[in-house]
Amino acid sequence: MNERYSRQVLFPGIGKEGQEKIRGKHVLIIGAGALGSGSAEVLTRAGVGRITIVDRDYVEESNLQRQQLYTEEDVLGKLPKAAAAEKRLRAINSDVEIRAIIGDATPELLEELAAGIDLMMDATDNFETRMVMNDVSQKYKIPWIYGACVGSYGMSFSIIPGKTPCLNCLLRTIPLQGMTCDTGGIISPAVQMVIAHQTAEALKMLVEDWESVRTTFVSFDLWRNQYTSLKMSKAKFAGCLSCGEERTYPYLDHENRTKTTVLCGRDTVQIRPSNQGEVSLEKLAGQLGSLGYQVKGNPYLLSVEMGPERMVIFQDGRALIHGTKDLTHAKSIYQRILG
């Protein structure tokens, strides 16, 4: 056994047999931001055989406060996060096969990657992608670990197909956070706490110690010294379209996705959310203004200056991203602000 993993092997929950199992597993990480970069480093150091990372964004200066794999050099080079993460992770552990995919985590891509994946890690910044992950998980029987954080608050839940409620079930029960780091800010310790919860559960699953996997939904607020662990067995819903008795995997359906369109003759992308709901423009204006954005508005819309781009948000959640024709970039901006 490689001396590199000797301290991990000494841990009774893993041992030599568990380390061999870890070495034989393939983990898919969706997102290479704060949670993704941290989880990827932990699992790379732990000796996971293969890690695939999917991310559509590039490294920005504001990332350096909490996204541990990246440097100022990556910011200057505007390196895609997936590429920068791949380079750093290979330098950390050359025994691990690292694959970076620079792009959107679409249903088509995730279904294409599903074969041979042992575990999925949620490190994305929006619920649309999480719901796609959830349906892929249920369809292909791949466990995944939900995780999210904003401000000083974080949460995590392990989802095992056929055993636990899925994310679609949970949305009927738990009011999950709607703020994003761009609207509510974030402190690094909250990120690290979620990473600890997610990767601890990941190691349990990778060594196949299913009895030790936590079955409760954990949430915490480090600033307010609050910690909650909720039993979720009763949240499982027989009529759930993702994991129920007559499942249809609705979030793999093209009709249920956010619609993006380049407006004819204009350097503008229109984004229309799949599930329309009224946005509190006054509340959003206050949040964005406190973070230094230049915000103007009226009772019908909000205009937000964002460097080279300008985002106009309407009450029904529709938005126009001016200054780009890149659909993926526009969608990323939209989800950073509206979650």
Side-chain angles (χ1 to χ4, degrees):
M1 181 61 64
N2 194 324
E3 177 66 19
R4 175 192 288 268
Y5 311 114
S6 61
R7 302 304 185 270
Q8 190 164 277
V9 168
L10 285 172
F11 176 66
I14 294 179
K16 290 184 178 181
E17 182 179 349
Q19 189 62 46
E20 290 296 335
K21 289 180 178 179
I22 290 172
R23 177 63 180 158
K25 297 296 171 62
H26 185 181
V27 177
L28 173 62
I29 301 176
I30 306 300
L35 295 180
S37 60
S39 293
E41 179 170 346
V42 171
L43 296 179
T44 296
R45 292 185 185 279
V48 173
R50 296 174 65 195
I51 296 176
T52 297
I53 304 171
V54 179
D55 192 279
R56 65 191 177 192
D57 210 350
Y58 60 90
V59 184
E60 299 177 278
E61 187 176 17
S62 64
N63 301 149
L64 300 181
Q65 167 250 355
R66 66 197 179 281
Q67 299 182 17
Q68 64 192 56
L69 287 180
Y70 310 125
T71 67
E72 292 178 352
E73 185 178 349
D74 298 327
V75 174
L76 292 173
K78 292 191 179 298
L79 282 184
K81 289 181 182 178
E86 179 182 32
K87 179 180 178 181
R88 179 71 185 277
L89 294 171
R90 284 181 172 174
I92 289 171
N93 191 345
S94 59
D95 287 340
V96 178
E97 181 183 335
I98 306 291
R99 180 188 179 191
I101 297 177
I102 303 167
D104 218 0
T106 62
E108 292 83 2
L109 176 62
L110 295 193
E111 288 200 80
E112 178 185 324
L113 294 174
I117 296 295
D118 297 291
L119 173 65
M120 292 192 295
M121 301 289 286
D122 167 31
T124 188
D125 60 359
N126 67 88
F127 268 95
E128 181 176 1
T129 304
R130 289 187 178 110
M131 298 310 289
V132 172
M133 289 180 67
N134 187 67
D135 274 5
V136 168
S137 163
Q138 299 302 319
K139 184 175 180 178
Y140 296 97
K141 305 295 187 292
I142 304 170
W144 71 289
I145 304 173
Y146 164 75
C149 50
V150 66
S152 57
Y153 182 76
M155 60 186 93
S156 180
F157 183 65
S158 299
I159 298 172
I160 305 172
K163 183 176 179 181
T164 69
C166 75
L167 186 61
N168 208 3
C169 294
L170 293 189
L171 290 177
R172 293 165 44 88
T173 308
I174 297 177
L176 300 176
Q177 271 287 354
M179 287 193 300
T180 72
C181 297
D182 286 68
T183 57
I186 190 166
I187 58 171
S188 185
V191 174
Q192 296 301 321
M193 180 73 99
V194 176
I195 291 170
H197 278 292
Q198 285 188 290
T199 54
E201 297 309 304
L203 290 174
K204 296 173 191 177
M205 293 184 190
L206 295 175
V207 301
E208 301 170 18
D209 185 1
W210 300 103
E211 294 301 315
S212 295
V213 174
R214 177 174 40 76
T215 58
T216 58
F217 183 99
V218 166
S219 65
F220 60 84
D221 190 324
L222 293 179
W223 207 260
R224 294 178 176 82
N225 304 309
Q226 298 170 348
Y227 190 95
T228 304
S229 182
L230 300 174
K231 292 182 179 180
M232 300 307 304
S233 57
K234 292 184 179 180
K236 193 164 179 59
F237 175 50
C240 177
L241 296 179
S242 296
C243 73
E245 296 170 356
E246 297 182 8
R247 59 191 71 179
T248 61
Y249 311 114
Y251 295 95
L252 301 183
D253 188 336
H254 187 271
E255 291 302 313
N256 291 327
R257 304 179 204 171
T258 296
K259 309 301 188 297
T260 55
T261 307
V262 177
L263 298 189
C264 183
R266 300 173 63 185
D267 198 20
T268 299
V269 175
Q270 175 178 265
I271 298 183
R272 188 181 299 277
S274 56
N275 297 313
Q276 293 190 14
E278 190 166 309
V279 175
S280 174
L281 298 180
E282 183 178 358
K283 181 179 178 182
L284 185 60
Q287 291 174 336
L288 295 175
S290 68
L291 291 170
Y293 290 102
Q294 291 185 341
V295 182
K296 297 179 181 179
N298 57 42
Y300 310 102
L301 59 83
L302 202 64
S303 177
V304 187
E305 298 291 337
M306 313 181 70
E309 292 95 17
R310 181 169 63 91
M311 182 176 183
V312 177
I313 306 164
F314 298 87
Q315 281 187 321
D316 62 357
R318 183 173 60 90
L320 298 175
I321 314 296
H322 298 285
T324 183
K325 292 182 180 179
D326 187 327
L327 299 180
T328 299
H329 179 57
K331 191 174 177 181
S332 176
I333 292 173
Y334 180 90
Q335 291 172 335
R336 280 166 51 191
I337 297 300
L338 292 176

